[in-house]
Amino acid sequence: MEEDYIKLIFGLKLKQIRTDRNLSLFGLSKLSGLSKSYLNEIEKGKKYPKPDKISILAEKLDVPYDQMVSLKLDKNLAPIGEILQSKVLKEIPLDLLGIKESTLIDIVSNAPAKMNAFISTIIKIAQNYDFGKESFFLASLRSFQEANHNYFDALEQEVLKFAKAYQIDLSQNVTSQELEEILVEEYGYTINNKDLEKHKELDALRSIFVPKTKTLLLANHIDEAQRTFIYAKEIAFNFLGYQERLYTFSWIKFENFDQVLNNFYASYFAGAMILPREPFTKQLKQLFNKKTFDPGLFVKMIDSFNASPESLYQRMTNILPKDFNVQNLFFLRFVHKKGDEKYYLTKELHLSHQHSPHANENNEHYCRRWVSLRVLQQIIKKKEKHVFDVQISHYPNNQPSYLVFSSATKDPFKENQYRSISIGILINPQLKRKMAFLDDPKIANYHVGVTCERCPITDCKERIVPPKILEKELLNQKIEATVEHLMDNLS
């Protein structure tokens, strides 16, 4: 264990024993002959006493020496010991989130009972929602992205440095052919397009990198945009010098947070190379300056880059906050299988604060009026490669309204499965100044909810189930109001 954690556990244990004996620090000082300030630093986890001092404390507190130095804590503090011994604090990117580890340790030592209750609550939530290590890492990553408005200038500059060093013309579409040449000639890669297909259980994977032989196994049914993105990510791992990395795409599991962070950085680098900031920003400005919205122009913009719709929408979450000062937005990815009534929200990002819509883990039914779901319904009916739509979503009770762009495509790796990518932008006076087409009457307006179970809209034809949770909440409010009324009249 880390030395600091051993100190902290001993301090927590001493404080617990002292308080169980109804002793103040002053009283323990008088009893043991050790100074109050010294004991205070022990309890705060700043000092670890020498064996002779531990013997004195054990004798005066009537506790066996072995129990004093054991790393086990009593049941009511056991979760704190577990989290310290698991080194989970080392896995949390505290520095990225602006938190000092020493500060967190002080919080634990100053309020162990409250911290224990908090940790126990987190553990129960994790168990109820199957919140594993990977989910924890990804949640930490999202917090990091949100704290930085999902824009990382150092990576943008690294892309420009790479382009200059390898004479990549970012004013033209980057192709897989030129990136493959760099991987082979500069980094000694071998590209294998055959062996991955021999294993049916790997059908969901697009690539595997074998580090010993520097062999990159690729699924042979990936398209040009996917191949280019994979190559760009591999270049990022090498050019940026990342040792801790993932070897499969899509990922199977994360061993530590560095792998999560480096995977994100490599993906960001790839997106910034394939969708360079300057030409992408220029096209967005042209789109936003038009007084009427042209869906064809938006789709043309997607097609003008050697990138998937998902990569383009992801890139918008980098560019809009930085170059347009539009920071209130969300990104969503939905997955839907033909014949299944369920829609699964598999990825989301919220900048500035949590927006609607957002994930709901209570097995409820997402609002069918969302454009994110509508494009999925349309692509199944039309059997097209790409379906795009846009809408303005109004939430009830004077809640915010959002402009939402959404694209649906077939999942090339899973039969009869489709996915939609959406970006939603909070509508406010600032956005109206930046997007001339916001008052275009051709843009569909919908009154929406988050889930059917919580939606107050009474005339919704798309509703799947009754608003049972909302009805229960309203009934409870009536009961509370009636009880208060009776108490007031009878008091």
Side-chain angles (χ1 to χ4, degrees), residues 310-363:
E310 179 164 356
S311 293
L312 184 133
Y313 280 68
Q314 288 269 24
R315 188 65 173 141
M316 286 178 72
T317 68
N318 309 140
I319 298 300
L320 289 177
K322 180 62 178 179
D323 290 332
F324 295 86
N325 198 29
V326 174
Q327 297 179 354
N328 288 286
L329 57 85
F330 62 80
F331 170 92
L332 305 176
R333 183 214 288 145
F334 274 95
V335 171
H336 176 63
K337 192 167 186 178
K338 187 177 179 181
D340 187 356
E341 69 163 15
K342 288 283 187 180
Y343 294 83
Y344 300 94
L345 183 48
T346 60
K347 190 171 185 178
E348 64 178 323
L349 176 71
H350 297 263
L351 299 187
S352 280
H353 60 273
Q354 189 178 61
H355 302 274
S356 291
H358 52 77
N360 184 292
E361 302 294 341
N362 294 325
N363 203 29

Side-chain angles (χ1 to χ4, degrees), residues 278-484:
E278 188 174 331
F280 188 50
T281 300
K282 184 178 179 181
Q283 289 205 39
L284 284 175
K285 285 181 179 177
Q286 290 173 350
L287 179 73
F288 294 165
N289 287 336
K290 289 188 171 293
K291 292 186 178 180
T292 57
F293 181 73
D294 184 353
L297 187 61
F298 191 93
V299 174
K300 185 179 178 182
M301 179 181 69
I302 295 176
D303 294 339
S304 69
F305 294 97
N306 185 16
S308 67
E310 179 164 356
S311 293
L312 184 133
Y313 280 68
Q314 288 269 24
R315 188 65 173 141
M316 286 178 72
T317 68
N318 309 140
I319 298 300
L320 289 177
K322 180 62 178 179
D323 290 332
F324 295 86
N325 198 29
V326 174
Q327 297 179 354
N328 288 286
L329 57 85
F330 62 80
F331 170 92
L332 305 176
R333 183 214 288 145
F334 274 95
V335 171
H336 176 63
K337 192 167 186 178
K338 187 177 179 181
D340 187 356
E341 69 163 15
K342 288 283 187 180
Y343 294 83
Y344 300 94
L345 183 48
T346 60
K347 190 171 185 178
E348 64 178 323
L349 176 71
H350 297 263
L351 299 187
S352 280
H353 60 273
Q354 189 178 61
H355 302 274
S356 291
H358 52 77
N360 184 292
E361 302 294 341
N362 294 325
N363 203 29
E364 297 175 27
H365 296 77
Y366 291 113
C367 177
R368 267 35 177 192
R369 291 184 174 184
W370 291 350
V371 66
S372 307
L373 306 192
R374 196 166 64 250
V375 291
L376 284 169
Q377 296 164 358
Q378 290 171 356
I379 196 169
I380 292 173
K381 290 179 182 178
K382 295 180 178 180
K383 298 180 180 179
E384 297 178 358
K385 288 185 177 180
H386 176 209
V387 170
F388 168 77
D389 205 354
V390 60
Q391 78 176 44
I392 293 177
S393 295
H394 303 284
Y395 285 85
N397 302 322
N398 297 316
Q399 294 296 311
S401 297
Y402 293 88
L403 173 70
V404 188
F405 303 101
S406 191
S407 288
T409 57
K410 189 179 186 306
D411 190 328
F413 300 94
K414 294 184 180 178
E415 191 175 353
N416 292 324
Q417 186 160 295
Y418 300 82
R419 56 192 175 194
S420 72
I421 307 301
S422 304
I423 187 166
I425 307 169
L426 179 69
I427 296 176
N428 54 28
Q430 178 202 26
L431 189 68
K432 291 180 179 179
R433 291 193 295 270
K434 296 178 185 296
M435 295 185 178
F437 59 74
L438 269 182
D439 293 324
D440 185 354
K442 292 180 181 178
I443 299 178
N445 281 250
Y446 285 84
H447 290 278
V448 301
V450 176
T451 65
C452 291
E453 286 83 349
R454 301 172 188 272
C455 182
I457 299 173
T458 56
D459 59 346
C460 180
K461 296 178 181 179
E462 294 85 359
R463 182 185 291 282
I464 302 298
V465 295
K468 55 185 180 181
I469 293 178
L470 178 65
E471 290 171 352
K472 185 177 180 180
E473 290 174 354
L474 293 174
L475 178 60
N476 287 339
Q477 289 174 11
K478 287 182 180 179
I479 292 172
E480 288 176 13
T482 303
V483 170
E484 287 181 10

Side-chain angles (χ1 to χ4, degrees), residues 19 28 37 66 105 108 194 200 248 256 295 302-303 383 413:
T19 52
L28 180 59
S37 60
D66 290 345
I105 288 175
V108 173
K194 298 178 181 179
K200 288 186 178 180
T248 64
N256 55 59
I302 295 176
D303 294 339
K383 298 180 180 179
F413 300 94

